[in-house]
Amino acid sequence: MNTLQQNIIAWFQKNGRDLPWRKTYAPYHIWISEIMLQQTQMERAVDYFNRWMTRFPDILSITRASEEEVMKLWEGLGYYSRARNIIKTAGILITEFNGKIPADHEELLKLPGIGKYTAGAIMSIAFNRDYPLVDANIERIFARLFNLAKPVKDKKTHAYIWRKASELVPKNRARLFNQAMMELGALVCLSRNPRCKICPIQRECQAFCLGLASKRPVLQEPAKTVFIEMATGILQREGKLFIQKRKSKGVWANLWEFPGGRLEPGETPEMALVREYEEETKLAVGNLQKITTVQHSYTIYRVTLHCYFCSLLDGRHEPVLNTAQEYRWVTPDELSRYAFPAGHRKLIQHLQNNFDMLQKL
């Protein structure tokens, strides 16, 4: 190994965090942890990982659970296609690989939800095979290490980073080296205010030597934030609440929700809610009572969700579903059994925190 590789590994062995999947390096544990860590902060991922392993200690246990239970356990992590891909992959692993994760890069790439990065992570961290991996932390390190003057997502720059990552993996030490690189990016080579003074590879870092560490990586033009205003309504009937399950494709697929949608030009939230109920369920609702307004975000979207209680205006009690695959009437206590999108989950939490509201239902 060269000096850079040795210094990074030595730093990691002293400073690496004590994470649950590092206790075993079991392929199953590495797979689940890597999927969870996509778009999720480490602290949250650890909590979810521990709960997941308590309920699903192995791949077979996932296949024996209902999708509803899996999605509920995933609730709050977002990007729910990740959970659906775990379910699909678990089934394939049971039927085609005897319930084991293959130590084969090409086979891993064929599995739902496993791309170049995750395959490299499993091969190197679980099996200690000499495969590179590149995440946002490693992109940032390489942008500084090699003083890259173009954004890391630039096609040529991205290819260069992967090539250098492959060249730097020391033979038979991929597990330690790749984790060390990711950890260095998470703890030292920060996106803002990098801690260059304690960096184990500062001498090799071109950007540091040129006084450019704070200017690398070069940032791309950020995507414009899209502001959306929506309305949703909790329909009550004889102490039960109406929920519907979204279709299996599209945004928040297979999650449960209270009907509602985006405000059209010139609409008030109340007008939008009445219209959405008619369009989605053919139910006529009224007697709207404001509960709260919820703010939440996903990708580039910033959503303001106006939330109401509502009741039926005519004799129809059962809906005609136009945008959902299933519906149920549930008690307030039963809401906790179902997985909801972030905005509706915040609404439910608001109701639980204001017990007197639930008492009125």
Side-chain angles (χ1 to χ4, degrees):
M1 292 192 295
N2 62 32
T3 302
L4 182 146
Q5 295 164 328
Q6 291 174 344
N7 288 345
I8 289 176
I9 289 176
W11 173 86
F12 174 67
Q13 290 174 322
K14 291 181 179 179
N15 299 281
R17 288 170 289 186
D18 182 21
L19 302 174
W21 48 88
R22 288 178 179 165
K23 298 182 185 301
T24 65
Y25 290 119
Y28 172 56
H29 291 178
I30 299 303
W31 167 45
I32 296 299
S33 67
E34 289 297 337
I35 299 298
M36 286 185 172
L37 284 166
Q38 296 168 10
Q39 307 294 331
T40 303
Q41 293 181 336
M42 179 65 76
E43 292 74 14
R44 283 175 59 78
V46 168
D47 290 340
Y48 274 87
F49 177 87
N50 288 332
R51 287 196 293 270
W52 181 280
M53 289 302 160
T54 298
R55 174 59 188 89
F56 302 122
D58 51 36
I59 295 169
L60 183 61
S61 61
I62 299 174
T63 65
R64 289 177 171 173
S66 67
E67 180 181 296
E68 197 70 57
E69 186 177 4
V70 174
M71 297 298 281
K72 180 61 183 176
L73 199 57
W74 195 269
E75 186 184 44
L77 277 175
Y79 299 90
Y80 289 88
S81 61
R82 295 182 292 171
R84 290 191 290 273
N85 282 330
I86 286 175
I87 295 171
K88 293 175 186 176
T89 293
I92 294 171
L93 293 174
I94 292 296
T95 57
E96 298 184 19
F97 296 95
N98 197 30
K100 298 183 182 299
I101 295 176
D104 184 303
H105 191 261
E106 295 305 313
E107 292 293 344
L108 288 172
L109 289 173
K110 296 175 184 178
L111 296 171
I114 295 183
K116 187 177 181 181
Y117 165 79
T118 305
I122 293 172
M123 290 300 296
S124 61
I125 300 174
F127 298 112
N128 199 29
R129 303 290 179 83
D130 297 338
Y131 281 85
L133 59 81
V134 174
D135 69 350
N137 286 321
I138 293 177
E139 287 176 342
R140 185 167 59 254
I141 292 172
F142 278 27
R144 290 168 176 160
L145 186 61
F146 300 108
N147 191 33
L148 302 180
K150 290 186 177 181
V152 294
K153 297 302 183 184
D154 173 83
K155 187 175 181 180
K156 289 184 178 179
T157 305
H158 191 66
Y160 174 83
I161 290 173
W162 271 96
R163 185 169 67 252
K164 297 303 291 186
S166 181
E167 292 172 0
L168 279 174
V169 175
K171 189 173 180 60
N172 299 325
R173 305 297 296 277
R175 173 181 290 162
L176 282 174
F177 182 77
N178 284 346
Q179 288 185 101
M181 289 290 287
M182 291 191 293
E183 201 81 331
L184 187 70
L187 302 180
V188 176
C189 195
L190 307 175
S191 56
R192 295 181 181 180
N193 302 316
R195 305 170 69 192
C196 298
K197 290 184 178 180
I198 63 169
C199 179
I201 58 171
Q202 70 168 234
R203 291 184 179 180
E204 291 84 1
C205 180
Q206 295 180 29
F208 172 76
C209 294
L210 294 170
L212 295 173
S214 63
K215 299 184 182 300
R216 300 289 184 264
V218 174
L219 301 178
Q220 288 181 305
E221 189 72 24
K224 291 185 178 180
T225 301
V226 178
F227 294 93
I228 299 176
E229 200 167 6
M230 304 182 73
T232 190
I234 299 180
L235 176 60
Q236 312 162 63
R237 187 192 73 179
E238 298 175 355
K240 292 191 174 183
L241 315 178
F242 179 86
I243 60 173
Q244 62 181 15
K245 190 175 186 179
R246 297 178 68 90
K247 292 185 176 180
S248 58
K249 293 184 179 180
V251 179
W252 300 315
N254 291 337
L255 295 184
W256 292 84
E257 65 176 358
F258 306 110
R262 296 178 68 163
L263 275 63
E264 293 184 352
E267 279 189 326
T268 64
E270 293 85 354
M271 293 165 60
L273 179 58
V274 171
R275 174 183 54 76
E276 288 286 345
Y277 255 94
E278 167 63 27
E279 291 176 357
E280 294 183 16
T281 67
K282 295 299 181 184
L283 295 174
V285 300
N287 303 318
L288 274 57
Q289 301 176 48
K290 187 69 178 282
I291 303 172
T292 188
T293 298
V294 169
Q295 306 280 345
H296 70 101
S297 304
Y298 66 99
T299 60
I300 63 170
Y301 301 99
R302 301 295 179 268
V303 180
T304 298
L305 182 64
H306 302 278
C307 310
Y308 298 84
F309 289 128
C310 57
S311 57
L312 293 167
L313 291 183
D314 58 26
R316 181 195 294 273
H317 283 184
E318 302 307 324
V320 176
L321 298 182
N322 292 320
T323 61
Q325 58 177 300
E326 183 182 347
Y327 75 92
R328 293 181 187 177
W329 292 94
V330 301
T331 65
D333 289 342
E334 290 173 329
L335 289 174
S336 60
R337 301 178 187 176
Y338 300 90
F340 286 82
H344 290 197
R345 188 163 42 83
K346 287 183 178 180
L347 168 57
I348 293 170
Q349 187 63 53
H350 175 82
L351 293 176
Q352 293 171 341
N353 292 341
N354 294 271
F355 186 71
D356 57 325
M357 286 190 176
L358 287 176
Q359 291 294 94
K360 295 178 182 179
L361 299 181

